[in-house]
Amino acid sequence: TDGAEAENKEKPDVKKEAKKEVKVASLDELRQARKQKKLKISDIAENCGIEEEVCFRIFDGTAEASAQDLTKLSNLLCGDPLGAPNYRKQLTPGYARPVMIHRAIFGSFERFMAILMEHFAGRWPFWLSPRQVLVVPVMPSVNDYVLEVQALFDEHDINIDVDVSADTMKAKIRNGQLAQYNFIFVVGAQEKESRTVNIRNRDDQATQAKGELIPLDEALEKMLKLRNSRALENKL
């Protein structure tokens, strides 16, 4: 009786899940799948558990892939990699994945400017310089002439600044030299009366003392000629 009852007892329906078999792809098929899905070798290596260097060598054909590695790569690339839960590394709680949009033209421009800044080390040629001319008054009584000079050069798009602060003349000139102004105009009563300027050239030590007075219009003409020539040498 016990045997009959055991025989007639309903047996549980045990279903065994069949393992999904993924066809092992060839190397060309793996390369094509990677190209279509635009996947990085580093991501593929991480998700397949293969060393990155080995993965690189497999894809460039310099290393032969083992059957196990080919199976892993086929599962990832030729199965459903975008839907696979392990394609992207799971985020740590509290963290977010950043996204950067890169515009190549801005990066190229910034790198080029960085090279120029390193090359000139602040001593820009006149036509590129953001600090082309600084006007320094010898005394406060000539500040009106200083501002007149600034207005004249500013009309012709010369980057010109004036220093009418309470500092001494020597301090103003020293500050202008440290700021790498291409030219420093020192004007006093004599310059105001004759409508001239005394020019100090950043790159010419011989001009650092008072020298020949140059008429204002002639100085402007020389500055415009130097700017338009785009010369690297800071010389009038």
Side-chain angles (χ1 to χ4, degrees):
T1 305
D2 293 340
E5 287 178 358
E7 193 173 60
N8 295 329
K9 190 176 180 180
E10 187 177 347
K11 296 181 180 180
D13 186 12
V14 180
K15 296 182 180 180
K16 294 183 179 180
E17 293 185 2
K19 292 183 179 179
K20 293 182 180 179
E21 293 185 1
V22 178
K23 178 185 175 183
V24 177
S26 65
L27 185 56
D28 289 337
E29 289 173 335
L30 293 175
R31 287 171 178 162
Q32 186 66 24
R34 172 180 170 261
K35 184 177 180 181
Q36 289 176 350
K37 295 180 171 76
K38 299 179 180 179
L39 304 180
K40 295 182 179 179
I41 294 288
S42 57
D43 288 339
I44 295 173
E46 181 180 358
N47 285 282
C48 289
I50 304 174
E51 290 185 9
E52 189 171 333
E53 183 180 353
V54 174
C55 199
F56 268 109
R57 295 177 61 190
I58 289 174
F59 276 93
D60 65 19
T62 58
E64 185 176 351
S66 65
Q68 185 180 6
D69 289 343
L70 282 176
T71 302
K72 291 179 180 179
L73 292 171
S74 299
N75 279 322
L76 181 68
L77 296 174
C78 300
D80 186 19
L82 294 181
N86 66 338
Y87 172 64
R88 289 291 184 189
K89 186 177 180 180
Q90 295 298 313
L91 292 174
T92 303
Y95 284 76
R97 178 172 286 112
V99 176
M100 181 180 71
I101 300 176
H102 179 250
R103 181 74 185 274
I105 187 172
F106 292 139
S108 301
F109 181 74
E110 289 168 357
R111 284 191 292 272
F112 180 69
M113 290 302 297
I115 292 171
L116 282 180
M117 284 187 282
E118 183 180 14
H119 176 72
F120 290 116
R123 302 173 71 86
W124 293 95
F126 185 75
W127 68 280
L128 274 177
S129 178
R131 295 172 175 172
Q132 294 174 326
V133 178
L134 174 67
V135 187
V136 173
V138 175
M139 59 196 75
S141 60
V142 297
N143 284 355
D144 56 340
Y145 179 60
V146 168
L147 297 176
E148 182 183 345
V149 172
Q150 182 187 32
L152 176 63
F153 279 69
D154 190 56
E155 286 179 4
H156 293 82
D157 296 325
I158 297 291
N159 297 325
I160 184 169
D161 297 319
V162 299
D163 189 348
V164 292
S165 66
D167 290 337
T168 64
M169 184 189 72
K170 289 185 178 181
K172 294 176 183 179
I173 293 174
R174 179 58 179 163
N175 291 336
Q177 292 171 339
L178 293 175
Q180 300 292 350
Y181 279 91
N182 296 73
F183 298 99
I184 297 177
F185 294 176
V186 180
V187 297
Q190 184 180 0
E191 286 81 6
K192 178 180 179 180
E193 184 179 351
S194 60
R195 295 189 62 78
T196 57
V197 288
N198 183 7
I199 302 178
R200 297 188 180 211
N201 187 334
R202 179 193 66 195
D203 300 336
D204 187 357
Q205 292 300 318
T207 65
Q208 300 307 308
K210 185 174 180 179
E212 181 183 358
L213 301 182
I214 300 177
L216 190 58
D217 293 337
E218 183 181 341
L220 175 60
E221 182 182 350
K222 289 183 176 182
M223 295 285 172
L224 293 175
K225 184 178 180 181
L226 177 61
R227 184 189 65 184
N228 296 335
S229 69
R230 298 189 175 184
L232 295 180
E233 188 178 3
N234 196 56
K235 184 178 181 181
L236 295 176

